[in-house]
Amino acid sequence: MFPQSLLMLMFSTLPFMTAMLLLFNSTFISLEIPLLSVFSFNLPVSLMIDWTSMMFLFTVMFISSTILLFSVEYIPPSEHKQFSFLLLSFVLSMSLLILSDNIIFMLLGWDGLGLTSFILVIYYQNFSSSGSGAITIFSNRMGDIFILLSIALLTMNCSWNFSMNEMFPLIVLILLTLAACSKSAQFPFSAWLPAAMAAPTPISALVHSSTLVTAGVYLMIRVMNSPHPLSLSMILLISTVTTIYASMSANWEMDMKKIIALSTLSQIAMMMFAISLGSTILAYFHLIIHALFKSMMFLCAGIIIHSSSYQDMRFMGSMFKASPVISSILGIASLSLMGIPFMSGFFSKDPIIETILFSKFLSFLSILMLLSIGMTSAYSTRMVLFTLKFFLKTKPDINIHSSNFMETPIMLMAPFSILMGAIMMWFTSPNQLIIIPPLIKFLIIMILMLGGMLGISLIFASNKYKKFGQAAISLWFNHFLTTISFKLTSPLMNLFMKNDKLWQEMYGPKFCFKQISFYSSSPDLFMNQLLFIILLLTLFPLMIMFF
């Protein structure tokens, strides 16, 4: 897979150049291909090629290519082809979702994401990954149901487009908001994101930090052209609740991958909060910048876990001496996550904080959001200190060895964590200037410091908060709510399985086995065909523009 990943890395620059061209010329390309026409019922395949979709496509392809490069050494050679096929099918689904301007056509990519993420979560095929995969796919199925209902309700208008639609009905906006919350793991669907860390680390870096969880935010950015106050209030409340319990849980958690997952949950909630304030462009900035530094952070965690064989941070240590490159890059990603001035995260987080205050909406929810941003600094610093301590821990079997091949893709991604925020700010909003009174600027610093102190007081070592910690680690009992629903419906599911097994024969394991055995006779040919389709999707906008 080494040549394919390099080819994909080279082609990922094309969407970036297209995005810049479309942005400078203030143009977009809307393409409609008639698919079905019955009386007044017209169902087209709609594509929207603008700077928003192209920049997101560049981000997805760049991260996917570096992760394919990373997995050449991370995944055993015997499993390369299977793993790469799953990863490329995921990228294809995401590309369909990004480019589609039609809610029916978007459902193909949306469903493909849910299915491939389930297959990737159960990749290791043990009891833990099986339970995590079940929670993942059932949570995502809820979102599919909401989208199907909204498609049915939009049949009255005979228009399913995002951009050319003047106004969505309120019920459709609420259904699409709930669908976005299920895909982006917002309350009450948060349980699946930490559980999905049972997948291999490259999958966590791609699926659960930069693409799958951002699909819901991307849907909201597309839909919220003409929002309703009720839907905005709903997003405001859900995102605030999610970000505060995700930040608190990250301060108690000891599993390194779960801390990064909870951090992702908190940042996605922050994007949703920006959308609820009407700043969709700021939410989009944070989406792109967060995807780049968070996937890099996951890959750093992957190398540390791969070399030390532990995910618990209490067994880690001595990374400074063993691998200074990984230590430095993990520090860069953490600084960007905290929003330290002039890292890329600063250029997207600071405008969101200023918009919160400038909107004169300084309510209790806004103060909670600022507290959670302060707690981000606490758990990021804690993770770095636990992982990179100088002294050896009590475990004598830690054997950390640096791998130059696995470090290469991370070094490719590192400049983006420093420069991407400034680049996007220069290109898109050169005249942005928000002047805030000194008193409110001082208030921001005070609330952020208070959040940091709260985070430090909530660390695992503090005995006085341990009883409270059970509620936080279970994500405000989200885990229990999820498992109770499975227990209640399990008798019905067992009854269904006993009475009707025909679908299993037709579409279940036997059917999948036949298809896989058919393609496994020529896997290289099939992989190249799949890669060709993805590259064709990348070149498609350029062909339309110039011909």
Side-chain angles (χ1 to χ4, degrees):
M1 274 313 293
F2 184 68
Q4 283 97 330
S5 55
L6 284 178
L7 186 66
M8 200 167 166
L9 188 61
M10 283 164 46
F11 270 90
S12 68
T13 55
L14 290 175
F16 182 76
M17 286 158 38
T18 312
M20 292 299 104
L21 194 63
L22 291 167
L23 183 62
F24 288 143
N25 294 323
S26 297
T27 54
F28 68 92
I29 301 166
S30 180
L31 188 68
E32 288 206 0
I33 305 162
L35 187 67
L36 182 66
S37 181
V38 181
F39 299 113
S40 62
F41 184 87
N42 296 312
L43 180 60
V45 174
S46 303
L47 297 175
M48 171 60 77
I49 298 161
D50 59 347
W51 77 271
T52 310
S53 57
M54 285 293 103
M55 186 66 80
F56 197 14
L57 189 62
F58 154 71
T59 309
V60 170
M61 288 195 67
F62 175 72
I63 292 169
S64 308
S65 53
T66 51
I67 286 167
L68 271 174
L69 202 60
F70 178 86
S71 61
V72 170
E73 191 171 333
Y74 189 90
I75 302 291
S78 58
E79 300 172 13
H80 270 184
K81 286 175 182 172
Q82 176 193 358
F83 179 83
S84 307
F85 163 64
L86 291 171
L87 201 67
L88 287 175
S89 59
F90 184 88
V91 175
L92 185 64
S93 301
M94 195 68 201
S95 305
L96 281 173
L97 187 141
I98 290 167
L99 292 173
S100 62
D101 188 34
N102 187 318
I103 195 166
I104 299 175
F105 186 52
M106 189 209 70
L107 192 63
L108 286 174
W110 189 274
D111 238 354
L113 286 178
L115 184 63
T116 46
S117 67
F118 167 68
I119 295 167
L120 289 164
V121 168
I122 61 167
Y123 186 81
Y124 287 134
Q125 296 185 0
N126 51 31
F127 286 111
S128 171
S129 63
S130 173
S132 304
I135 289 176
T136 303
I137 196 161
F138 281 120
S139 300
N140 284 309
R141 283 311 100 187
M142 295 295 290
D144 297 342
I145 291 165
F146 293 135
I147 285 188
L148 286 168
L149 286 171
S150 57
I151 289 171
L153 289 166
L154 284 171
T155 312
M156 294 183 292
N157 303 343
C158 281
S159 174
W160 295 272
N161 285 15
F162 291 132
S163 59
M164 302 298 180
N165 219 341
E166 286 186 4
M167 189 175 288
F168 287 96
L170 175 60
I171 184 70
V172 172
L173 278 176
I174 289 172
L175 287 170
L176 289 175
T177 302
L178 288 170
C181 288
S182 74
K183 190 67 82 175
S184 292
Q186 300 298 292
F187 179 82
F189 306 104
S190 303
W192 72 263
L193 185 59
M197 293 301 108
T201 310
I203 296 304
S204 302
L206 176 66
V207 177
H208 305 120
S209 73
S210 55
T211 51
L212 176 71
V213 288
T214 53
V217 180
Y218 186 73
L219 174 65
M220 285 290 98
I221 290 167
R222 284 295 196 204
V223 167
M224 288 296 171
N225 295 324
S226 53
H228 191 280
L230 185 62
S231 63
L232 290 180
S233 304
M234 187 174 158
I235 297 172
L236 184 79
L237 186 62
I238 288 171
S239 61
T240 310
V241 169
T242 308
T243 189
I244 197 72
Y245 69 58
S247 301
M248 291 179 77
S249 303
N251 277 297
W252 264 293
E253 191 60 64
M254 277 295 172
D255 188 320
M256 189 179 184
K257 276 179 75 175
K258 284 192 178 176
I259 287 176
I260 303 175
L262 290 164
S263 161
T264 302
L265 190 55
S266 172
Q267 298 303 307
I268 295 288
M270 194 174 167
M271 295 170 210
M272 286 286 200
F273 194 88
I275 290 169
S276 72
L277 295 175
S279 301
T280 51
I281 210 79
L282 282 180
Y284 179 73
F285 276 3
H286 197 49
L287 185 151
I288 299 291
I289 292 163
H290 169 262
L292 288 163
F293 69 71
K294 189 54 70 70
S295 50
M296 187 177 78
M297 188 184 277
F298 258 118
L299 292 186
C300 290
I303 291 184
I304 294 167
I305 293 165
H306 188 68
S307 54
S308 65
S309 305
Y310 294 109
Q311 284 188 210
D312 196 320
M313 293 190 306
R314 286 166 291 193
F315 298 149
M316 293 178 183
S318 68
M319 275 302 293
F320 268 130
K321 289 184 179 178
S323 179
V325 173
I326 296 301
S327 307
S328 307
I329 293 176
L330 184 63
I332 288 169
S334 301
L335 289 174
S336 194
L337 173 63
M338 288 187 264
I340 297 296
F342 314 120
M343 303 298 287
S344 65
F346 168 77
F347 289 96
S348 58
K349 285 182 85 168
D350 197 65
I352 291 174
I353 295 171
E354 290 177 352
T355 308
I356 290 170
L357 297 171
F358 199 67
S359 62
K360 297 185 175 58
F361 195 70
L362 196 61
S363 64
F364 178 64
L365 298 179
S366 302
I367 292 169
L368 281 181
M369 179 60 69
L370 291 173
L371 281 174
S372 74
I373 294 168
M375 281 193 273
T376 304
S377 306
Y379 63 70
S380 302
T381 310
R382 171 175 165 268
M383 182 182 74
V384 169
L385 287 174
F386 265 104
T387 313
L388 308 179
K389 276 183 180 174
F390 278 111
F391 57 83
L392 282 166
K393 300 294 178 74
T394 52
K395 290 280 176 184
D397 55 348
I398 291 179
N399 182 22
I400 297 170
H401 57 280
S402 58
S403 163
N404 293 330
F405 194 87
M406 288 165 82
E407 286 174 1
T408 306
I410 301 175
M411 289 166 73
L412 280 173
M413 298 170 84
F416 285 95
S417 294
I418 304 169
L419 302 172
M420 194 64 186
I423 290 168
M424 288 191 72
M425 195 60 77
W426 292 335
F427 278 147
T428 52
S429 54
N431 300 320
Q432 186 190 24
L433 180 65
I434 298 175
I435 298 171
I436 292 178
L439 181 66
I440 297 184
K441 276 284 188 187
F442 183 69
L443 183 67
I444 296 176
I445 297 166
M446 287 299 294
I447 295 176
L448 291 179
M449 285 175 64
L450 188 64
M453 288 162 63
L454 181 64
I456 292 164
S457 68
L458 291 178
I459 59 171
F460 192 81
S462 56
N463 291 318
K464 56 185 174 180
Y465 292 122
K466 274 190 178 174
K467 288 183 180 176
F468 195 49
Q470 176 60 42
I473 289 177
S474 64
L475 296 180
W476 260 234
F477 310 108
N478 257 325
H479 291 300
F480 306 126
L481 288 170
T482 311
T483 49
I484 284 167
S485 62
F486 281 129
K487 284 178 183 176
L488 292 174
T489 54
S490 57
L492 293 172
M493 290 165 75
N494 288 336
L495 187 67
F496 171 72
M497 293 288 280
K498 283 176 185 173
N499 291 338
D500 185 10
K501 293 207 172 185
L502 181 65
W503 70 274
Q504 284 182 298
E505 298 294 327
M506 295 293 288
Y507 306 109
K510 283 191 177 179
F511 174 75
C512 292
F513 179 72
K514 284 178 186 175
Q515 295 296 318
I516 291 166
S517 59
F518 171 71
Y519 283 122
S520 61
S521 57
S522 56
D524 288 331
L525 177 65
F526 185 64
M527 289 284 292
N528 289 332
Q529 285 174 350
L530 192 61
L531 188 64
F532 175 73
I533 293 169
I534 293 169
L535 296 181
L536 195 65
L537 272 172
T538 311
L539 289 168
F540 186 65
L542 285 175
M543 289 191 288
I544 292 171
M545 286 175 66
F546 293 114
F547 297 104

